[in-house]
Amino acid sequence: MQYSSPQEAAAALEAKRRMPFLAGVSISADLCGAIMAACTPYGQYEAAARLNLRGRYFPVFEMGMGVSNHTNDATDLHYKVHSPYYRIGLDYNVAKNVRAQGRIFVGVRYAFSTYKFDVDGPDMVDPVYGGNVPFSYHGVRGTNHWGEAVFGLEARVWGILHLGWSIRYRMRFYNKRTIVDNSWYVPGYGKNDTHAIGGTFNVVVDI
């Protein structure tokens, strides 16, 4: 193959050179979830650790704290939670050149959260004996398991600093019903439904 310049030839050779098995480690934090926690009815504070295997495979562990302190205007129910969640999975870099500064990821996650929540609402009327019955449940335990399909982009900003984002399609595997039926929000998942869409905006530091 002919190259137009020595620099182009050198770049082509560098791209073909095999990367070491363990090519690096990185840690990251999600800004999107923190902004959601401050500005919307729910959000999360999340960090992740990731291995770089030959520039193609990226095993990743994510953990965070899901938070909500919200009153539903329609039902006047107040929901509060502050509990952890965990994800483990693998990203695959589909970019042609694994040594390039940018990366394009597809990946999968298995995630779960075992959490406690409080729910309070207007008093109910006892249908048998009459009178008001308080609707207040604290420390209710919930458990959810789900999977995620991930697509993301990442680019180097300066030195070891990268910025990236991801879009995630979530599918619930298991939902533990509680004494108040389903919890309104699941930490790390979102509103408690069979499917959900989420995303992250990550600040990544290579080690």
Side-chain angles (χ1 to χ4, degrees):
M1 179 179 294
Q2 297 296 321
Y3 298 101
S4 59
S5 67
Q7 291 80 9
E8 184 180 344
L13 289 174
E14 179 67 13
K16 292 179 180 179
R17 187 166 62 88
R18 189 173 179 83
M19 294 184 71
F21 177 74
L22 180 58
V25 179
S26 64
I27 56 175
S28 64
D30 172 32
L31 297 183
C32 182
I35 294 172
M36 288 180 60
C39 303
T40 71
Y42 60 85
Q44 58 273 337
Y45 302 98
E46 179 177 307
R50 185 180 70 185
L51 300 178
N52 180 347
L53 306 182
R54 299 202 187 281
R56 284 292 182 198
Y57 302 95
F58 294 79
V60 59
F61 174 71
E62 301 166 340
M63 65 179 297
M65 185 67 65
V67 296
S68 180
N69 191 359
H70 174 64
T71 300
N72 187 304
D73 293 333
T75 62
D76 205 26
L77 290 177
H78 178 256
Y79 183 84
K80 185 177 181 180
V81 66
H82 187 276
S83 290
Y85 61 90
Y86 308 91
R87 303 191 195 101
I88 188 169
L90 179 73
D91 289 333
Y92 178 75
N93 181 11
V94 299
K96 184 176 181 180
N97 182 4
V98 297
R99 296 181 179 275
Q101 300 306 318
R103 297 165 182 162
I104 306 172
F105 294 106
V106 294
V108 293
R109 302 285 190 277
Y110 163 73
F112 73 94
S113 178
T114 298
Y115 53 97
K116 291 182 179 181
F117 65 92
D118 302 338
V119 59
D120 298 277
D123 291 350
M124 300 182 297
V125 176
D126 191 313
V128 178
Y129 300 103
N132 292 333
V133 179
F135 186 87
S136 180
Y137 297 88
H138 288 192
V140 181
R141 290 184 176 272
T143 301
N144 280 66
H145 298 254
W146 68 93
E148 300 185 2
V150 182
F151 173 79
L153 300 176
E154 185 179 307
R156 190 176 77 168
V157 177
W158 176 80
I160 61 174
L161 179 65
H162 294 245
L163 293 178
W165 57 264
S166 72
I167 297 175
R168 300 171 180 230
Y169 171 75
R170 295 169 177 150
M171 183 173 67
R172 191 175 68 190
F173 296 152
Y174 172 76
N175 172 55
K176 179 183 178 181
R177 290 186 176 272
T178 69
I179 57 175
V180 291
D181 200 17
N182 287 329
S183 58
W184 175 72
Y185 162 73
V186 176
Y189 183 85
K191 289 185 179 180
N192 196 355
D193 202 349
T194 54
H195 303 272
I197 299 292
T200 63
F201 184 82
N202 299 312
V203 177
V204 185
V205 177
D206 286 339
I207 300 175

